[in-house]
Amino acid sequence: MNLKLSVLDQSPLLKGNTEHDALNQTIELAKHVDQLGYERFWVSEHHSTKSLAGSAPEILVSSIAAHTKSIRVGTGGILLPHYSPYKVAETFRVLEGLYPDRIDLGIGRAPGGMPGVNYALNGGKYPDVHSYPQQTAQLLDYLQGYPHEKYQVRATPLGPTVPPVWMLGSSGNSAKLAGELGVSYTFAQFINGEAGSIALDRYYNSFIPSTQQKEPKASVAVFVVLGETDEEADYYASSLDQALLLIEQGQIRDYFPDPEEASKQTYSYFERERVQYNRQRMIIGSLNSVEDQLKEMAQTYNVDEIIVNTIVSPFERRKWTYEQLASIFN
């Protein structure tokens, strides 16, 4: 199998870094993996989250595309229930006009932060998430240049190329919707470590050819922590273990803990169980071990692309991880 590798970056604040550092590291990482030959580079949308700086991915996409040469750049993803499909289509038609055939529009339905985010982004009202399928259908029409039947407006600028839509999800429902609308689908293994096979089966079984594409196209996004040995990888993964546990407990941190701090952390029995449960969201190990695990994941899920999300300290360790992965997957 010719397995393609891509990157999902959440602009994490590592210990000792500022928000400015985190955003600049996103640009630097994009330039780095572009030179290494990665397929695409996506940035996420998170709001009111101290440890993640990426709150406006459409802005980051423009800057990343300007600083790179050939890698596809996109969102992972725009949280559509918060926004007008028309405005999102216009934004990405502008990006497509600036960088033809290099822009991906990844969308999702999640809130993207603490509960108050929903109200802050929607004028004090809770977004109508049940309209997500209709919103997505409208977005696809606008991107293709079709006028709205009621308003008779088009999303401009028009052009010969259209940014493809990817639906990101962590359940079978989102997978089924992506298939029915005929768009590409990414399963968020880094969010849900259990439902991947079910979700991707639903996607493939429900796929209907569309204007965008005639065949289904899917990928999986997963946390990856690499070490010279399995023991070293486990050491670096301890910081992600602690960060995920703190998030689940509702504790707010200004940064991601470093492994020196996290590896000394002691947990209760139930916390240790939760840490092990969250390891399903990660691939951890030496280079040979990670290579085998990634290939097995691709085969199990019937995909030819895996999107790697690596959050470790220091930043140079993140760059090293992507270098090592590139060396085995060309």
Side-chain angles (χ1 to χ4, degrees):
M1 174 187 292
N2 182 22
L3 183 61
K4 293 177 288 188
L5 292 185
S6 297
V7 177
L8 172 64
D9 185 66
Q10 297 175 292
S11 303
L13 268 73
L14 306 180
K15 187 175 181 179
N17 288 176
T18 66
E19 290 85 350
H20 179 72
D21 294 329
L23 294 173
N24 281 336
Q25 285 168 3
T26 290
I27 302 299
E28 184 177 344
L29 188 61
K31 292 163 63 177
H32 188 59
V33 299
D34 183 28
Q35 295 171 351
L36 291 172
Y38 278 73
E39 183 76 10
R40 63 188 89 243
F41 189 96
W42 285 357
V43 288
S44 62
E45 178 177 342
H46 290 274
H47 301 282
S48 192
T49 305
K50 290 186 177 181
S51 59
L52 298 172
S55 59
E58 65 276 25
I59 303 298
L60 268 176
V61 164
S62 183
S63 183
I64 292 166
H67 283 87
T68 53
K69 295 181 179 180
S70 58
I71 194 169
R72 295 193 65 87
V73 184
T75 51
I78 295 292
L79 306 177
L80 193 57
H82 295 316
Y83 310 115
S84 154
Y86 180 61
K87 182 57 182 174
V88 173
E90 284 195 321
T91 298
F92 279 80
R93 286 233 55 106
V94 169
L95 288 169
E96 183 70 16
L98 290 169
Y99 309 102
D101 286 325
R102 288 190 58 208
I103 301 298
D104 294 330
L105 171 49
I107 61 171
R109 193 182 64 175
M114 302 299 286
V117 165
N118 282 305
Y119 298 99
L121 285 171
N122 293 276
K125 300 177 182 179
Y126 197 85
D128 182 10
V129 295
H130 300 296
S131 296
Y132 182 57
Q134 291 76 26
Q135 280 188 297
T136 306
Q138 288 180 10
L139 175 64
L140 291 169
D141 284 347
Y142 281 133
L143 288 170
Q144 293 293 339
Y146 303 144
H148 191 284
E149 60 182 15
K150 181 177 179 181
Y151 307 129
Q152 291 301 304
V153 296
R154 298 176 187 269
T156 55
L158 300 175
T161 59
V162 178
V165 170
W166 286 76
M167 186 169 288
L168 285 75
S170 57
S171 72
N173 292 335
S174 58
K176 185 173 183 291
L177 177 61
E180 291 172 345
L181 293 174
V183 300
S184 299
Y185 177 71
T186 296
F187 177 73
Q189 178 90 10
F190 71 101
I191 294 175
N192 182 355
E194 292 187 314
S197 294
I198 295 173
L200 286 156
D201 283 346
R202 277 200 192 176
Y203 171 66
Y204 289 124
N205 291 333
S206 63
F207 186 83
I208 300 172
S210 67
T211 304
Q212 173 173 304
Q213 62 197 66
K214 304 306 178 186
E215 301 290 338
K217 186 175 185 179
S219 62
V220 178
V222 63
F223 286 123
V224 175
V225 181
L226 186 64
E228 296 280 3
T229 63
D230 290 343
E231 291 75 20
E232 185 183 63
D234 204 58
Y235 168 75
Y236 280 104
S238 65
S239 59
L240 192 54
D241 289 334
Q242 185 182 15
L244 294 179
L245 188 62
L246 291 172
I247 291 169
E248 291 176 342
Q249 293 173 341
Q251 299 186 49
I252 299 175
R253 290 286 297 264
D254 292 342
Y255 59 87
F256 277 82
D258 63 22
E260 183 177 358
E261 169 192 344
S263 62
K264 298 174 183 176
Q265 184 71 26
T266 57
Y267 297 118
S268 69
Y269 170 79
F270 294 105
E271 287 174 332
R272 289 196 301 271
E273 289 293 302
R274 193 65 197 181
V275 165
Q276 284 305 120
Y277 178 81
N278 281 332
R279 286 282 179 110
Q280 296 178 95
R281 301 157 62 179
M282 313 175 198
I283 286 180
I284 303 167
S286 64
L287 189 58
N288 289 339
S289 173
V290 166
E291 177 183 8
D292 290 342
Q293 291 179 71
L294 289 173
K295 289 179 178 178
E296 182 180 359
M297 173 176 282
Q299 185 174 18
T300 299
Y301 290 161
N302 191 24
V303 298
D304 65 356
E305 180 179 351
I306 292 181
I307 303 178
V308 176
N309 183 357
T310 294
I311 302 178
V312 294
S313 296
F315 175 64
E316 290 303 318
R317 188 75 189 187
R318 298 182 68 206
K319 294 175 66 177
W320 175 85
T321 298
Y322 291 113
E323 289 171 7
Q324 297 303 306
L325 293 175
S327 71
I328 57 174
F329 289 105
N330 298 317

